[in-house]
Amino acid sequence: MKKWLCLFIGCMAWSGVHAMTLEEQYSGLKNCHFDDIFYDQKTKQFGPGATFFKENRHKLDICWKSEYITSFCANGALTFYGLNVMELTLSGKSGEYFGIVFLNDEDTVRRVLSKRFSLVDLSDNINRLPSVDILPEEGYARIYCNLYNVREGE
């Protein structure tokens, strides 16, 4: 009887474990709201809200960094609503920039993500805040939350 009770408790504990998905981590794209999701370059630590990044640290290498932004290479090992992710970008503690670079072309990214987000071209974004901008790059697309404009319009 003890063996079955231990097995039952073990199964209950195991079934409660849930790994965060990239879609859950970036759910704030809808309103450009990301609580404590950042990467501190000095301490090399993720913010308390960056659960997905902490859980998937082994899949992410730093691609590049600037003074306040760090980009992590995923190289297709991750997906976001079925799109292949090339890079994930986080700002430092100031939390002003969040982005995803896709291996897919702009048309594919627009088609898939327009079902979930309001996507605008950078040139059309002046008075439509918050928004998610798509900028076509060399054969792939980048989507990011434009918090600079959001703060100007507050």
Side-chain angles (χ1 to χ4, degrees), residues 10-46:
C11 286
M12 292 300 288
W14 181 72
S15 65
V17 175
H18 170 73
M20 180 175 273
T21 66
L22 189 55
E23 290 82 1
E24 290 169 327
Q25 182 71 85
Y26 274 76
S27 64
L29 277 174
K30 287 185 179 184
N31 58 7
C32 292
H33 186 74
F34 298 89
D35 288 328
D36 295 324
I37 302 173
F38 61 85
Y39 180 74
D40 187 329
Q41 292 179 359
K42 290 179 183 174
T43 65
K44 299 183 189 298
Q45 298 292 316
F46 292 102

Side-chain angles (χ1 to χ4, degrees), residues 100-124:
I100 304 174
V101 179
F102 298 101
L103 292 170
N104 308 81
D105 62 86
E106 179 186 6
D107 291 337
T108 303
V109 171
R110 281 190 185 280
R111 182 175 38 78
V112 171
L113 295 183
S114 64
K115 297 173 187 172
R116 292 174 173 81
F117 305 105
S118 172
L119 303 175
V120 296
D121 291 318
L122 185 60
S123 60
D124 297 335

Side-chain angles (χ1 to χ4, degrees), residues 8-148:
F8 175 74
I9 292 171
C11 286
M12 292 300 288
W14 181 72
S15 65
V17 175
H18 170 73
M20 180 175 273
T21 66
L22 189 55
E23 290 82 1
E24 290 169 327
Q25 182 71 85
Y26 274 76
S27 64
L29 277 174
K30 287 185 179 184
N31 58 7
C32 292
H33 186 74
F34 298 89
D35 288 328
D36 295 324
I37 302 173
F38 61 85
Y39 180 74
D40 187 329
Q41 292 179 359
K42 290 179 183 174
T43 65
K44 299 183 189 298
Q45 298 292 316
F46 292 102
T51 306
F52 176 85
F53 291 88
K54 293 175 189 177
E55 292 173 351
N56 292 279
R57 180 181 295 267
H58 63 282
K59 293 180 184 177
L60 304 170
D61 294 318
I62 294 177
C63 299
W64 58 268
K65 59 185 176 180
S66 65
E67 188 174 353
Y68 300 108
I69 297 173
T70 306
S71 186
F72 298 90
C73 292
N75 296 319
L78 302 171
T79 60
F80 185 73
Y81 293 111
L83 298 168
N84 297 316
V85 175
M86 186 168 111
E87 291 179 25
L88 298 170
T89 307
L90 291 178
S91 67
K93 288 184 179 181
S94 63
E96 295 179 342
Y97 188 92
F98 305 93
I100 304 174
V101 179
F102 298 101
L103 292 170
N104 308 81
D105 62 86
E106 179 186 6
D107 291 337
T108 303
V109 171
R110 281 190 185 280
R111 182 175 38 78
V112 171
L113 295 183
S114 64
K115 297 173 187 172
R116 292 174 173 81
F117 305 105
S118 172
L119 303 175
V120 296
D121 291 318
L122 185 60
S123 60
D124 297 335
N125 189 34
I126 295 173
N127 295 313
R128 294 178 56 195
L129 307 171
S131 68
V132 176
D133 300 324
I134 284 189
L135 301 171
E137 298 186 16
E138 297 176 22
Y140 53 89
R142 174 170 51 118
I143 181 173
Y144 67 95
C145 204
N146 192 342
L147 291 180
Y148 298 107

